[in-house]
């Protein structure tokens, strides 16, 4: 359920103040959780992932938006000033591993809240290495009033042109999006078409920063070494292809490691095999962590258990066994591919239960 923003004393943010969380909440920090859907084509099905965006307003009225992947790793920070009813990009950084890459901002206008503004151009240049350079030119076509989720909203049509020089080769691609900001919520949804296929961001939850930090701290415990001697699939003939130190997370490649037939097929299998009587009245998060080796085989399953407030709990052993059997029998996995090499990959599936019902499967 989306949380309603409280009233706040407005600062000088112009028209943007109507379409962002209240300034009191922005100063404390507020996080939006999104489902990110990509449909690369009719034969491959839609893939859904989770993304988070942290909004924070500084004392100088700069708006910082930090983006996080499903493993709660920050992968981008964008800093904006809001002037003359425009969001002006002042700083943009991307993170990969221990490396930080800062964009050169050639033209700064990310969004103009006015109905039409020919000056609304955002142009970035990013140099990842000597022979790896990326440009993006985003042009705003228009802005129009609309409503979403019963709220006043503003919808923008944005066109992008990407150019990349990589090892001497130049590629040029384009994309087109409709981006919507909703009163009290900020960025609400994005729908468009790019080289990846049809893409859709949708807001599913808004939470204070304190709740996000608690959530992230809990989930970070799921990211790390799995001791095969503690695996619940013992005895097993499962083996990884390389050393345990070389295992990567499923979200460290592009595209991400995933269930090979797509999340929709995976969910259909889970729900078709689900016996609700074995969930009893359980509530909480039951997580299965495991490794998919370079051949796409899964093993080394362990569990993490928490209540809905992310405190420690123990699930009914029959519930654990039932959901484990379902996950164990999901056989077709696609591990991460990095620099052309198929890697052993950490995965996790989180079952969110409430009063004996399965209400969500993440990521």
């Amino acid at each position: 359920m989306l949380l309603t923003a409280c009233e706040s004393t407005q600062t000088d943010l112009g028209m943007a103040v109507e379409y962002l969380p209240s300034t009191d909440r922005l100063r404390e920090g507020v996080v939006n959780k999104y489902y990110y859907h990509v449909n690369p084509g009719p034969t491959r099905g839609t893939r859904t992932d989770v993304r988070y965006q942290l909004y924070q307003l500084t004392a100088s009225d700069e708006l910082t938006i930090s983006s996080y992947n499903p493993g709660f790793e920050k992968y981008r920070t964008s800093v904006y000033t809001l002037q003359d009813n425009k969001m002006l990009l002042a700083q943009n950084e991307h993170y990969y591993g221990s490396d930080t890459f800062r964009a050169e901002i050639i033209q700064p206008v990310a969004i103009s809240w006015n109905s039409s503004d020919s000056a609304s151009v955002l142009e970035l240049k990013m140099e990842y290495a000597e022979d790896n350079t990326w440009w993006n030119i985003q042009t705003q076509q228009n802005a129009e009033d609309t409503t979403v989720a019963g709220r006043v909203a503003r919808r923008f049509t944005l066109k992008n042109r990407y150019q990349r020089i990589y090892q001497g080769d130049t590629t040029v691609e384009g994309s087109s999006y409709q981006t919507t900001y909703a009163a009290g919520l900020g960025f609400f949804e994005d729908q468009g078409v790019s080289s990846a296929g049809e893409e859709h961001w949708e807001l599913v939850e808004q939470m204070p920063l304190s709740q996000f930090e608690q959530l992230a701290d809990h989930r970070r415990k799921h990211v790390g070494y799995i001791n095969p001697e503690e695996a619940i699939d013992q005895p097993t003939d499962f083996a990884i292809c390389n050393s345990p130190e070389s295992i990567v997370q499923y979200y460290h490649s592009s595209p991400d490691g995933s269930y090979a037939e797509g999340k929709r097929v995976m969910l259909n299998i889970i729900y078709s095999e689900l016996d609700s009587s074995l969930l009893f009245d359980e509530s909480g998060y039951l997580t299965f962590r495991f490794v998919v080796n370079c051949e796409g085989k899964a093993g080394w399953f362990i569990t993490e258990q928490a209540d809905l407030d992310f405190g420690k709990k123990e699930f009914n052993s029959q519930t654990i066994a039932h959901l484990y059997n379902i996950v164990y029998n999901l056989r077709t996995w696609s591990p991460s591919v990095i620099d052309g090499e198929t890697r052993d990959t950490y995965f996790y599936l989180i079952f969110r239960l409430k009063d004996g019902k399965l209400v969500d499967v993440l990521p």
Side-chain angles (χ1 to χ4, degrees), residues 86-247:
K86 296 181 177 68
M87 285 181 64
L88 305 179
L89 185 62
Q91 181 177 316
N92 182 261
E93 291 183 342
H94 290 229
Y95 313 110
Y96 185 80
S98 60
D99 295 323
T100 298
F101 303 97
R102 178 172 290 190
E104 175 187 354
I105 302 170
I106 301 169
Q107 298 190 71
V109 186
I111 283 179
S112 172
W113 302 93
N114 295 318
S115 297
S116 179
D117 191 338
S118 59
S120 299
V121 176
L122 177 67
E123 182 175 357
L124 304 178
K125 178 181 178 182
M126 185 85 74
E127 292 188 3
Y128 293 99
E130 183 177 351
D131 198 20
N132 186 357
T133 303
W134 170 87
W135 282 273
N136 177 34
I137 300 176
Q138 174 186 286
T139 304
Q140 179 176 316
Q141 304 294 300
N142 69 344
E144 59 183 357
D145 292 327
T146 185
T147 57
V148 293
R151 297 169 182 260
V152 173
R154 198 79 163 152
R155 180 172 293 148
F156 306 89
T157 300
L158 305 172
K159 302 283 186 179
N160 287 274
R161 181 180 183 272
Y162 309 99
Q163 179 174 319
R164 185 180 183 188
I165 299 175
Y166 181 66
Q167 296 182 349
D169 294 327
T170 300
T171 58
V172 178
E173 298 175 349
S175 64
S176 177
Y177 293 92
Q178 285 196 325
T179 298
T180 303
Y181 282 72
L185 297 175
F187 171 44
F188 184 82
E189 69 175 347
D190 205 14
Q191 290 183 300
V193 178
S194 72
S195 59
E198 297 180 354
E199 299 184 30
H200 181 203
W201 288 66
E202 62 170 330
L203 179 64
V204 293
E205 186 178 356
Q206 188 173 87
M207 67 189 80
L209 175 58
S210 57
Q211 181 181 338
F212 175 74
E213 289 175 335
Q214 185 180 31
L215 178 68
D217 183 63
H218 171 71
R219 298 285 176 78
R220 285 191 188 101
K221 297 175 183 178
H222 301 160
V223 181
Y225 173 68
I226 294 176
N227 184 347
E229 295 182 1
E230 298 176 356
I232 58 179
D233 53 318
Q234 296 288 358
T236 180
D237 59 357
F238 174 80
I240 59 176
C241 301
N242 295 293
S243 67
E245 292 78 13
S246 66
I247 304 174

Side-chain angles (χ1 to χ4, degrees), residues 301-314:
F301 291 84
I302 63 172
T303 63
E304 300 282 354
Q305 304 171 52
D307 61 26
L308 291 177
D309 294 321
F310 308 107
K312 293 182 179 180
K313 73 157 291 177
E314 292 186 6

Side-chain angles (χ1 to χ4, degrees), residues 1-7 15-23 25-26 29-34 52-56 63-65 87 113 146-154 156 179-189 201-208:
M1 175 181 295
L2 299 179
L3 302 180
T4 302
C6 59
E7 294 297 323
M15 293 174 62
V17 75
E18 186 174 1
Y19 303 101
L20 294 173
S22 70
T23 51
R25 299 189 72 204
L26 286 174
V30 60
V31 177
N32 285 352
K33 173 185 174 181
Y34 300 89
Y52 300 90
Q53 287 192 345
L54 165 61
Y55 289 72
Q56 287 184 300
L63 178 65
T64 299
I65 302 178
M87 285 181 64
W113 302 93
T146 185
T147 57
V148 293
R151 297 169 182 260
V152 173
R154 198 79 163 152
F156 306 89
T179 298
T180 303
Y181 282 72
L185 297 175
F187 171 44
F188 184 82
E189 69 175 347
W201 288 66
E202 62 170 330
L203 179 64
V204 293
E205 186 178 356
Q206 188 173 87
M207 67 189 80

